[in-house]
Amino acid sequence: MFDHGLTVLRIRGIPIRLHITLLIFLPYVAYAAASQFSVVASSLGISREALRLPPLAWGGILAVGLFVAILAHELAHSFVALRNGVRVRSITLMMLGGVSQIERDDPEHEAWMAFAGPLMSFGIALGSYVAYRLLPAPAEVGAALLAFAITNAIIGAFNLLPAFPMDGGRVLRGLLLRRIGPARATRVATTTGKGMAVAFGLLGVLSWNPILFLIAVFVHMGASAEQARASTRELLRGVPLGRFMTDRLGDAYADESPRAVAERLLRDNLIGARVIDDSSGGSGDHSGRGEGRREIGVVTVWDLARQLGRGAAPATVGAVMPVDVPRAHADDDASRSIDALASGEASAVAVLDGGEHVIGLVTTAEIQRALALAGALDAPRAGR
């Protein structure tokens, strides 16, 4: 769900997305921020009559500022990841905050990557408080700065709770990693997260606080999903990716129509095609194989179906072809390709040979089939 959103900008190549739930939830955040501003202003002795802007206007300003601060929080995670050579797929701002889709290929640095976000929130809180104390601003601006400082301090502290998938849960897993290994560290962190989710849920019900209840659902779902991914990685660890791939691939030319390619894949029972750029021939004439023929990517049946289902599909396969399909070699560890498929970022992983040519695809279906067989083979052993 975190990859579904409108990309509004890119920062250092990272897509920044707005999830639809953010737009729905923003008015509530503005209302809550207005209430907090009123409390802070009252505690500072500022009367409602002395305000130049009504509390609701300040609530809107603080709500927008809050999500900018959350973006900075997520960027802190992402910049530390990039510095350690870890790829960041996207940042999505959504109802309950932000989510950074970061490849977890560097578990040794996960604790520091996770801690960087709360550290940024504390830094913003400290900066806002210093500005409140030192700047000769109008009283209501000072109240807004103080409210902003309090909110960011709460965000930083809340995120450090050891409830996976929040930052504190990732810090806990990172600290335990060397002592007990990745599988057990993940199990401890996700179990702790599920326990805290139950606590959040009960507190939300008893206090009639729907936000706490939503947080409980989010934390429990995130912890369960991570535990499932960790179990899958453990089963596939050390197994070559090529063992799971399917070679049911055809060829498609970049200037062909998506419909023609889709019909061919359906007729030949294929799941995808290498996309060829044949610069030696004229458009639509691919009878020969010129020297300019080269692979430029892959397209799957899901890519074609998604575009054709929208009604106004692009005129060529080259326009349909995704530009960021994950690639891996046939002898690479299969466990490293799980995250791209599990997150929904990609419909397939392209498998390459030694010459960097696409020889197959690995989709979620191949992984699920392998896991089903592994589970069935392990079941008799467990019963002994």
Side-chain angles (χ1 to χ4, degrees):
M1 65 176 290
F2 304 138
D3 277 331
H4 299 304
L6 175 65
T7 299
V8 292
L9 75 156
R10 291 177 180 268
I11 299 177
R12 290 186 60 179
I14 304 170
I16 310 299
R17 296 170 176 162
L18 297 183
H19 198 272
I20 185 63
T21 56
L22 172 61
L23 303 178
I24 296 172
F25 197 60
L26 197 57
Y28 175 82
V29 176
Y31 173 78
S35 300
Q36 183 192 32
F37 172 81
S38 297
V39 171
V40 172
S42 177
S43 69
L44 295 176
I46 304 171
S47 66
R48 184 179 290 267
E49 292 75 18
L51 297 175
R52 298 179 184 179
L53 292 176
L56 195 57
W58 279 113
I61 294 170
L62 289 171
V64 173
L66 174 62
F67 280 99
V68 172
I70 290 172
L71 174 59
H73 176 114
E74 297 302 326
L75 285 171
H77 291 310
S78 300
F79 288 167
V80 173
L82 291 174
R83 188 171 182 178
N84 287 288
V86 181
R87 183 188 169 206
V88 181
R89 301 191 194 104
S90 65
I91 293 174
T92 304
L93 299 179
M94 54 189 301
M95 180 175 69
L96 295 176
V99 176
S100 298
Q101 291 285 343
I102 300 174
E103 289 186 352
R104 302 294 171 185
D105 288 340
D106 192 9
E108 294 295 323
H109 295 96
E110 183 177 26
W112 171 234
M113 282 190 283
F115 185 66
L119 189 62
M120 173 61 78
S121 294
F122 288 134
I124 293 172
L126 179 61
S128 300
Y129 182 74
V130 170
Y132 155 70
R133 297 289 295 179
L134 300 181
L135 289 181
E140 60 188 302
V141 174
L145 286 171
L146 183 57
F148 196 59
I150 293 170
T151 301
N152 277 281
I154 291 172
I155 289 173
F158 186 77
N159 270 278
L160 282 179
L161 292 175
F164 202 96
M166 292 194 304
D167 298 330
R170 297 189 186 279
V171 170
L172 175 63
R173 181 170 70 174
L175 294 176
L176 292 175
L177 195 71
R178 291 187 178 181
R179 296 182 181 181
I180 60 177
R184 289 182 61 196
T186 298
R187 194 177 307 117
V188 170
T190 54
T191 301
T192 304
K194 290 178 182 179
M196 297 197 81
V198 173
F200 289 150
L202 290 174
L203 187 59
V205 170
L206 294 175
S207 62
W208 293 94
N209 189 328
I211 302 304
L212 273 178
F213 187 78
L214 287 173
I215 290 173
V217 172
F218 171 78
V219 170
H220 195 279
M221 289 176 60
S224 299
E226 182 61 27
Q227 183 58 60
R229 279 195 293 271
S231 299
T232 301
R233 288 192 206 102
E234 201 60 29
L235 280 171
L236 300 182
R237 195 178 306 279
V239 181
L241 184 64
R243 188 175 298 179
F244 302 105
M245 77 174 190
T246 176
D247 59 359
R248 290 160 49 207
L249 283 175
D251 286 340
Y253 289 92
D255 57 0
E256 282 190 273
S257 75
R259 181 168 294 279
V261 175
E263 290 173 350
R264 188 162 69 247
L265 295 182
L266 179 61
R267 182 183 64 243
D268 297 337
N269 192 27
L270 303 175
I271 70 165
R274 307 171 191 86
V275 180
I276 308 299
D277 177 22
D278 191 353
S279 58
S280 64
S283 179
D285 179 14
H286 305 297
S287 56
R289 293 176 176 260
E291 294 182 359
R293 185 183 189 273
R294 62 188 180 91
E295 294 178 8
I296 60 172
V298 294
V299 65
T300 69
V301 293
W302 298 280
D303 300 323
L304 294 168
R306 188 161 48 244
Q307 291 293 342
L308 291 171
R310 292 175 181 171
T316 66
V317 167
V320 173
M321 178 190 73
V323 297
D324 55 353
V325 174
R327 292 169 172 255
H329 290 90
D331 55 356
D332 285 351
D333 192 324
S335 64
R336 296 191 175 185
S337 299
I338 297 305
D339 286 342
L341 295 173
S343 68
E345 175 207 11
S347 56
V349 174
V351 183
L352 311 177
D353 62 11
E356 302 299 313
H357 299 296
V358 178
I359 57 173
L361 294 176
V362 173
T363 69
T364 305
E366 275 72 49
I367 298 297
Q368 289 176 340
R369 184 162 52 246
L371 292 177
L373 288 173
L377 291 172
D378 284 342
R381 299 180 197 172
R384 293 178 185 176

